Amino acid sequence: GRSAPGPGPPPPRPAPGSPPALPRHALFDPGESPVAPLPVCDHYAGVELRMRKSLELQAELGPVFDVTLDGEDGAPVGGEIEHAQLIAELVDSPANVHGRVGARVVPVSHPAFSGMVETLVRRAGARLAYLMVPKVHGVADLRAAAERVDRVAAAAGIGREIPLHALVETHGALHEAFALAAHPRIESLSFGLMDFVSAHRGAIPHTAMSATGQFEHPLVLRAKLEIAAACHAHGKTPSHCVVTEFRHPAKLQEAATRAARELGYTRMWSIHPAQVRPIIDAFTPTTAEVDLAIEIIARAQAAQWAPISHRDTLHDRASYRYFWQVLERAWRTSYAGGPQLPAEVRRAYFEPAA
């Protein structure tokens, strides 16, 4: 069983007569900031019609998933700059309702990389949620990408650092996963399953790219775990790879659930609109988890965050932080027609007072 809590630092106590401190303020030490979490689903679209449809779906459901407009796989060969112009137009348009639209550029070594960055940052840098950099071979590639993005942003008078995401899909990137996650400009690392398997020159069978096989091959599992561990060590978001069998919702549901429950991923790629809701649902805490979190947080708050006993189990600030994160994730994954937090919990913790 769990041992009795040690003395540790005393929890913050409100002044006499004041309401108990909110969890987001009480459960973090002075100077410590909770990690700003990303939406649990990252939906990729590269063809114009699908990009526009994706933005419509995001406008309907809310910012419970990101849209990444794809300038790598979505762009015709030789037409990368023109495609970047279209992406910039969409990012900076009224269709970007929630401000959660990013873009994937070509690799740093590609001849069109600088031109794409120039186009996207100059035309839409103020509204880009992030830029995804694929096929990084290590920190040197990431550093070069960040420097290029920052030079263009500075020249364009954009007074913000555009967050960067990176795809870990090469041997070099996996070898430097912890260094990549530690880079201050990185917000998220994604696992690129297909290119990673291909990089093994046939030593990993093609079945390891399937919804089931990607959870069974030891080299693929090792890569996934390294990325997740690196991200959590540095407060970044690990994003799980695609499931290409988009006409098999049960396979997607199982893969998303395993990614969230077994491998520590807090985000996952979608490559078809039908995958968005199942991924969100798989990363949403269960009703039982939410109910338990509500009970523990309410009792802890009433005790001014001192240790409590709940259902014959001792809890202190360490477990309070965990259960608070359950409630935060439930809030972030709430959408019309999907799971919802009780109204009184939303009012108490997440919705500003009128």
Side-chain angles (χ1 to χ4, degrees):
R2 185 181 177 122
S3 61
R13 295 186 178 275
S18 64
L22 290 173
R24 68 172 64 90
H25 301 139
L27 299 180
F28 296 91
D29 295 328
E32 180 186 10
S33 299
V35 176
L38 296 175
V40 299
C41 180
D42 184 9
H43 178 64
Y44 273 69
V47 177
E48 180 176 1
L49 177 62
R50 292 174 185 169
M51 290 194 289
R52 294 185 183 277
K53 290 290 187 182
S54 299
L55 294 177
E56 291 173 6
L57 181 61
Q58 190 189 55
E60 174 192 343
L61 295 184
V64 292
F65 72 99
D66 281 344
V67 174
T68 301
L69 303 179
D70 193 355
E72 185 189 22
D73 290 344
V77 175
E80 291 86 1
I81 304 304
E82 292 77 8
H83 200 65
Q85 291 170 348
L86 170 62
I87 291 174
E89 176 186 324
L90 291 172
V91 170
D92 199 33
S93 75
N96 181 4
V97 175
H98 301 291
R100 291 304 312 171
V101 181
R104 175 161 68 163
V105 295
V106 291
V108 174
S109 59
H110 194 286
F113 174 80
S114 290
M116 288 193 78
V117 167
E118 183 89 17
T119 299
L120 289 167
V121 173
R122 282 192 176 276
R123 294 192 56 180
R127 300 193 66 195
L128 271 171
Y130 51 86
L131 282 174
M132 165 60 80
V133 184
K135 295 183 178 63
V136 293
H137 290 274
V139 176
D141 280 354
L142 176 59
R143 189 179 299 119
E147 289 173 356
R148 179 59 181 160
V149 170
D150 290 348
R151 281 199 303 271
V152 176
I158 295 169
R160 62 183 285 254
E161 287 189 339
I162 299 171
L164 298 181
H165 298 187
L167 257 170
V168 176
E169 49 192 339
T170 67
H171 297 295
L174 182 61
H175 181 68
E176 297 188 19
F178 276 78
L180 289 169
H183 195 284
R185 296 299 302 283
I186 278 291
E187 190 175 57
S188 173
L189 293 180
S190 293
F191 177 48
L193 173 66
M194 307 303 186
D195 280 284
F196 181 77
V197 171
S198 297
H200 285 77
R201 300 173 295 172
I204 300 178
H206 73 91
T207 53
M209 294 188 282
S210 69
T212 302
Q214 63 176 271
F215 289 93
E216 296 175 347
H217 196 283
L219 285 174
V220 175
L221 271 179
R222 167 185 169 259
K224 290 185 180 186
L225 291 171
E226 284 286 309
I227 293 164
C231 284
H232 289 300
H234 294 287
K236 308 300 173 64
T237 298
S239 189
H240 193 265
C241 58
V242 300
V243 168
T244 56
E245 298 97 322
F246 61 87
R247 296 191 185 278
H248 297 274
K251 290 183 178 181
L252 171 70
Q253 193 75 34
E254 181 183 4
T257 301
R258 294 189 69 178
R261 300 283 171 168
E262 297 176 14
L263 304 185
Y265 280 79
T266 56
R267 180 171 164 100
M268 182 170 175
W269 282 36
S270 159
I271 55 171
H272 190 279
Q275 293 184 328
V276 171
R277 287 182 179 88
I279 289 173
I280 296 172
D281 292 345
F283 280 79
T284 299
T286 66
T287 300
E289 289 172 325
V290 171
D291 289 345
L292 178 61
I294 291 171
E295 292 173 11
I296 290 174
I297 291 298
R299 288 201 56 196
Q301 189 174 27
Q304 298 182 359
W305 310 107
I308 63 168
S309 173
H310 181 74
R311 300 184 189 177
D312 299 323
T313 302
L314 289 171
H315 292 281
D316 60 15
R317 291 182 70 197
S319 54
Y320 299 159
R321 288 160 72 113
Y322 169 82
F323 288 108
W324 170 244
Q325 289 160 354
V326 169
L327 293 185
E328 283 192 316
R329 192 164 72 253
W331 168 249
R332 296 197 316 272
T333 52
S334 297
Y335 64 92
Q340 295 281 331
L341 278 174
E344 62 272 18
V345 175
R346 299 199 305 268
R347 287 194 297 268
Y349 298 132
F350 299 105
E351 295 175 351

